[in-house]
Amino acid sequence: MDWTVGKMDAFIIKGKSSLSGEVDIHGAKNSALPILAATLLSGGVCVLENCPELSDVENAIEILKSLGCKVRREADRVIVDSESVSTCRVEPELMHKIRSSIVFMGALIGRTGCAHLSFPGGCELGPRPIDIHINSLKRLGVVIDEKHGHFSCTTPNGVNGVTLNLPFPSVGATENIIMAAVTSQGTTKIHNAAREPEIVDLANFLNRCGANIYGAGEGVITIDGVHQLHGCTHRIIPDRIEAATYMAAAAVTGSTITLNNVISDHIEPVYYVFREAGCSIRTYKNKLLIQSPERLKRVKLIRTLVYPGFPTDAQAPVMAMLTVANGTSMFIETIFQNRYKHVDELIKMGANIKTEERVAVVEGVKSLYGAKVAATDLRSGAALVIAGLAAKGETTVTNVYHIDRGYEQLTENLRKLGADIYRTTIGE
Ligand code: EPU
């Protein structure tokens, strides 16, 4: 896939089709990105199975190649040989392509003892500080010199295990600390660590490579430094946010669909919202069946929280779904400062939403109407697709390159389920 093409691509959706059938959930973007960075630590050949084909993932692969790794893709497997890493410098153009490139900081420090990279900066979701990453790495003995958004990280006295208490359980900071610490001297303890399933996946991958990481998925993670790692084969966990997005697609169209390749424990934090809205959810092994009523009910309160709370990444798609529910739903976004950019676009489609700072009040309307709307970030783009599926008439979603960052074959999958959606190229 040529990802540069996506810049001018749009999705055209004719709403009101009912969905049915099955959809296969892909590997998790937010697992694949840190694990790709972590392949640097192995110094050998790593085979990542179930690795999604997304522009963010391909950009992470470009960074690995620029560092001297040999990388190739065979269908859903990505094979990384990181034996011949030749530099610890990532060029700013590559850093800026993906926000999560910051996890290369910990991985490069762990592998080479140095990292020269620039900060990806703020983003559509508001300011994205990295103070917790920087302060924690400094405590591990990393000397960090920052000038104009460029970071030079060196380890004149090596990386040394220490006990850290994070002020907030940041996902990215927890990943950076783990990666910097796996090959350190001594033991590192992370108190108030992030507990997201993607952290557990990263730890499982690294342990398969020979690391000694305990407690991932719990509040305290312990890392006993080891001298060296080796390659391994690892299967990336399914994407819980992609799953929640397809659930919203089923719910908003009053449909019954089955999701294949899910880990239901990981999606459980969103169940109460769908159930309160009137959907029934049944799981069996790695399958999830969602049945939806003709009209959804309102959900009293959805507060985004760190795992195992309701995920911020599902907030926008679920809000789109509740715009047509019977009654008033309320959201409180506690994780990001500015994650309501989809609201203005949903209002263009007839939604009745009021926001004030971190609160959004959604008064359900009988129907949305097709309109030309623009994705402002990945999840806002997904929300507009959900809204388009429920709307009367035709919706055009532009800027779909945002959606390509995190949803593989979204239009193809929805079409297979019965939606009337296709991708087209439009003039700028
Ligand atoms: N924060 C700080 N200082 C830091 C780090 C974070 O103040 O040093 C704040 C952030 O500004 C934000 C909050 O803490 O307000 C959460 O940030 P966190 O570090 O936990 O998030 P992240 O690592 O930057 C990952 C995902 C996001 C997801 C969040 C929260 C990846 C690549 N990204 O981001 O995914 O929303 O965790 O779960 O794993 C997405 O997929 O759409 C997405 C944005």
Side-chain angles (χ1 to χ4, degrees), residues 114-312:
C114 68
H116 298 286
L117 27 81
S118 50
F119 177 45
C123 75
E124 313 81 29
L125 311 182
R128 304 272 298 257
I130 52 165
D131 52 312
I132 305 172
H133 304 234
I134 299 297
N135 294 339
S136 307
L137 292 173
K138 282 183 177 168
R139 291 276 324 282
L140 286 164
V142 181
V143 176
I144 304 179
D145 183 28
E146 192 213 335
K147 273 198 196 84
H148 315 301
H150 184 87
F151 293 88
S152 289
C153 310
T154 50
T155 50
N157 300 310
V159 178
N160 296 294
V162 67
T163 295
L164 299 164
N165 290 293
L166 305 190
F168 175 83
S170 155
V171 173
T174 304
E175 291 165 348
N176 257 332
I177 298 164
I178 291 175
M179 288 194 269
V182 276
T183 52
S184 68
Q185 312 258 354
T187 297
T188 298
K189 268 190 193 294
I190 314 173
H191 289 266
N192 200 23
R195 295 193 285 161
E196 272 66 6
E198 294 76 19
I199 300 284
V200 179
D201 207 23
L202 172 67
N204 286 344
F205 164 76
L206 285 167
N207 283 341
R208 245 175 225 142
C209 291
N212 282 331
I213 304 167
Y214 311 95
E218 292 161 31
V220 182
I221 299 179
T222 304
I223 305 139
D224 284 334
V226 295
H227 187 58
Q228 219 181 351
L229 301 185
H230 50 75
C232 77
T233 295
H234 178 80
R235 188 166 179 82
I236 308 270
I237 57 168
D239 196 314
R240 62 198 167 99
I241 306 300
E242 189 192 22
T245 304
Y246 282 107
M247 289 169 74
V252 86
T253 52
S255 307
T256 297
I257 65 168
T258 300
L259 276 48
N260 295 326
N261 184 30
V262 296
I263 297 178
S264 70
D265 277 1
H266 295 172
I267 321 172
E268 215 174 307
V270 307
Y271 285 178
Y272 84 92
V273 169
F274 287 91
R275 289 192 170 132
E276 198 177 320
C279 301
S280 96
I281 295 167
R282 269 183 293 153
T283 58
Y284 177 70
K285 292 189 177 163
N286 64 347
K287 286 180 184 287
L288 182 150
L289 176 86
I290 176 163
Q291 280 175 305
S292 323
E294 212 163 286
R295 178 137 195 229
L296 295 170
K297 293 186 281 185
R298 61 97 179 91
V299 178
K300 247 190 192 162
L301 178 63
I302 298 167
R303 189 193 296 268
T304 66
L305 291 168
V306 295
Y307 193 84
F310 183 89
T312 171

Side-chain angles (χ1 to χ4, degrees), residues 364-377:
V365 292
K366 282 235 167 73
S367 185
L368 298 176
Y369 297 90
K372 187 170 179 191
V373 286
T376 52
D377 64 79

